[in-house]
Amino acid sequence: MDNKPVAIVLGGTNPHIALFENLKSRGYFTVLIDYLDDPPAKKSADEHVQVSTLNREHVLEVAKNKNAAIVISACLDQPIPVACYVSQRLGLPHIYSYETSLFLTDKGDRKSV
């Protein structure tokens, strides 16, 4: 990691490849969290940790162990609450609170509004 700040990205779909490239160009060591053995963006990340993006406690553990500077969920809506939960717990920047993220990502609730 060479004292680079660590960016944890939740999910490794094809659109995540550009995100990894962007983060690396900004000096981050990138960690992909994805439950798949070989997600499309795996080769773009510096490291792959094979756990579910939806398991907030596992993601929190990885973020603590890696001393993460940021935790990002992009291109996928289900891991947004996990990114917010972990970021809030670790005092990292986050776009909104965990509670707000649950409200915003509840599709059943949003469709009834």
Side-chain angles (χ1 to χ4, degrees), residues 3-113:
N3 294 324
K4 292 181 178 180
V6 175
I8 294 182
V9 177
L10 304 182
T13 65
N14 279 321
H16 287 101
I17 294 170
L19 176 58
F20 282 110
E21 290 170 0
N22 180 288
L23 289 166
K24 285 180 171 185
S25 75
R26 295 168 58 195
Y28 284 94
F29 179 87
T30 57
V31 178
L32 162 63
I33 292 185
D34 195 299
Y35 75 99
L36 294 174
D37 182 48
D38 193 22
K42 180 178 179 178
K43 290 178 180 68
S44 298
D46 292 308
E47 183 178 340
H48 172 226
V49 178
Q50 191 175 355
V51 298
S52 172
T53 61
L54 304 180
N55 188 320
R56 66 185 194 179
E57 296 305 324
H58 281 157
V59 174
L60 177 62
E61 180 83 14
V62 171
K64 283 181 182 177
N65 289 340
K66 302 291 180 188
N67 195 27
I70 56 173
V71 179
I72 301 171
S73 176
C75 309
L76 301 170
D77 60 340
Q78 290 181 327
I80 291 171
V82 174
C84 291
Y85 172 82
V86 171
S87 297
Q88 190 172 314
R89 290 281 307 269
L90 297 179
L92 302 175
H94 47 288
I95 54 176
Y96 28 71
S97 72
Y98 173 65
E99 292 74 21
T100 299
S101 73
L102 291 173
F103 175 75
L104 294 174
T105 58
D106 185 342
K107 290 180 184 175
D109 190 45
R110 297 291 47 110
K111 290 180 181 178
S112 65
V113 174

